[in-house]
Amino acid sequence: MSPSVEPFNEAKYKDLMDGLDFQEINKSELENEFTIGAEYYGKKYVEVVSVVKRQTKTIPLGKMWVLATDGDHGSPDYQESGVLYLLSECVKEGYIEKAKCRYITEAKNRELKRSCLHPGDIVVTKTGVYFGKSAVIPESIPEANTIAHVGKITLKSQYNPYYVSTFLNCKYGYYQLRRRGIKATRPEIKLVEFPDIIVPEFSKKLYSEIEATIRTANNLLDEADNAGNQSEQILMQALNMPQITDKAVSIKNFSDSFATTGRLDSEYYKPKFDILFDTLSKFSNKPLGGDNGITNIKKSIEPGSDSYKDEGIPFVRVSDVSKYEITSPEIYLSHDVVENVAALFPKKDTILFSKDGSVGIAYKLERDEDIITSGALLHLTVKNTSEVLPDYLTLVLNSPVVQMQAERDSNGAIIQHWKPSEIENVIIPVLGMDKQRELAEMVQKSFALRRQSKQLLEYAKQTVEMAIEQGEDAALAWLKDKVEQ
């Protein structure tokens, strides 16, 4: 050995490697000869798989199913009714968000026979921002179909889909999906990669308790949806809103059209919009924003992708928001992204309102949140809550009353965009306070039911993780204690 070359110092080597996401893998430990990327063998992924492999009994996912396929690779024509069609954003952890689903015809559903969904089938999102979420098709959805971004798994009769889906949602399943989903631009897992997911096996007792918990959660979600739908129906009845269709033709004078509005696109002048505004004119109305408006409207920031981090302050975009919740974002911003960053954090009762992409989504915060929202989400704060209740306003914003105004204003754009100046002038019917309180209570009931449901879904996921880490008996005892509280 040359005098200039020091002998290997194992202690120094360990000190240098300490704290790094670093794994030494022998060639014999490679899972296959094709997957050799460093990310695939990242510390958290290797540790998770090691824990699963140490379980008494395991089975590859590929040996559990009768069929695994994905959805429609085409672009079906959506209908106003028909067979439910799941997009990737419809699949949440443990449940199906029906409000985000589309519809296709019975004929198209028969054509897409292989991807037809029935109660008991597992669906898993395979790509994009909604990657790695799984749910079981419930009995309340007797038939559905799905898009190519969603995988369908039909298990053999001896395996429990509720347990398997919950396992895929817990960290020991999700990390197995995620390590296979590491791609250059966005996460994506292919069908050929599903069979090697390792699933630990437990007793039928654990499976039945997980299933019972998920079923109860789904029933609560159905109750929440019913309460939400009922509140919207009562609102529309209070406004004497008629059934409005697109079929009629509208003829406008120049003075009543372009000369006044500056719009030439025919969609802007559909007769249904005239019916809407004629109906609203019979009630007390106020604009959403402006000096005489109901709310103060505040814009957030758009820092750009160069500012995106893996940890820090959660950065919430339109894709992370629905009228029911904010889902955990995958993007974060540093605490010094702007001066006085806390000024950007939205407060309790702030309504987040989308102006780009999926325009017109309104979500009211139940508490102060240390988050930063994208510039596509406006912050609405009610000026006078003795005149307009925030829950009532959120209901109106998500109802056809405002959704039709969003449709009218944003028509003609390749990518939907609703100008803040147009949003300020949105007409909001202001019903009496007694009716507002009635509707607000129904909205709050719906959200309370959803919170109970989400808590049960989280308990189910934690139970599976606990069974893997501490044993089945400890997990079942913990779940029983939580459910009976």
Side-chain angles (χ1 to χ4, degrees), residues 462-476:
Q462 290 176 340
T463 299
V464 173
E465 293 177 351
M466 189 174 291
I468 293 170
E469 295 166 356
Q470 300 179 33
E472 184 175 328
D473 291 343
L476 285 170

Side-chain angles (χ1 to χ4, degrees), residues 74-279:
S75 300
D77 293 327
Y78 298 134
Q79 310 295 313
E80 291 187 4
S81 62
V83 177
L84 211 64
Y85 188 79
L86 275 63
L87 307 178
S88 55
E89 55 261 46
C90 304
V91 182
K92 305 295 186 180
E93 288 190 358
Y95 68 100
I96 304 299
E97 190 71 88
K98 298 175 190 174
K100 292 198 171 187
C101 293
R102 302 295 184 89
Y103 294 91
I104 58 173
T105 64
E106 290 280 359
K108 186 65 177 178
N109 184 56
R110 289 193 296 271
E111 179 185 328
L112 303 173
K113 183 178 180 180
R114 186 173 176 82
S115 56
C116 189
L117 300 168
H118 298 96
D121 286 335
I122 298 172
V123 285
V124 187
T125 51
K126 296 165 52 224
T127 186
V129 67
Y130 305 103
F131 174 88
K133 301 185 188 308
S134 176
V136 177
I137 302 298
E139 277 76 11
S140 59
I141 302 178
E143 188 173 45
N145 218 298
T146 190
I147 197 168
H149 299 311
V150 176
K152 163 193 170 181
I153 298 173
T154 304
L155 296 180
K156 298 174 183 176
S157 59
Q158 65 264 41
Y159 299 110
N160 188 297
Y162 290 91
Y163 163 70
V164 173
S165 175
T166 306
F167 170 75
L168 293 175
N169 284 325
C170 86
K171 68 179 181 182
Y172 293 103
Y174 175 77
Y175 278 166
Q176 290 190 69
L177 294 172
R178 191 67 180 82
R179 74 187 305 216
R180 288 169 172 81
I182 296 169
K183 301 293 186 287
T185 55
R186 62 177 184 172
E188 179 182 3
I189 183 170
K190 300 184 183 301
L191 284 174
V192 294
E193 298 175 286
F194 274 97
D196 294 331
I197 302 296
I198 304 170
V199 182
E201 293 188 90
F202 296 102
S203 72
K204 289 184 179 180
K205 172 67 173 174
L206 180 76
Y207 300 160
S208 64
E209 292 298 327
I210 294 295
E211 178 174 345
T213 304
I214 300 293
R215 285 182 178 276
T216 301
N218 276 279
N219 289 338
L220 288 170
L221 277 175
D222 288 340
E223 288 183 45
D225 288 344
N226 290 337
N229 292 336
Q230 188 178 1
S231 64
E232 183 176 296
Q233 291 168 8
I234 292 174
L235 170 66
M236 302 304 279
Q237 290 169 3
L239 295 173
N240 296 317
M241 190 68 65
Q243 289 283 78
I244 300 176
T245 66
D246 266 342
K247 295 181 179 179
V249 175
S250 179
I251 299 175
K252 296 285 186 182
N253 295 322
F254 181 81
S255 59
D256 296 326
S257 56
F258 181 77
T260 303
T261 66
R263 297 286 293 259
L264 280 174
D265 47 309
S266 60
E267 291 86 353
Y268 189 87
Y269 302 101
K270 288 180 178 179
K272 68 178 184 179
F273 300 132
D274 292 333
I275 296 172
L276 170 68
F277 293 118
D278 286 345
T279 303

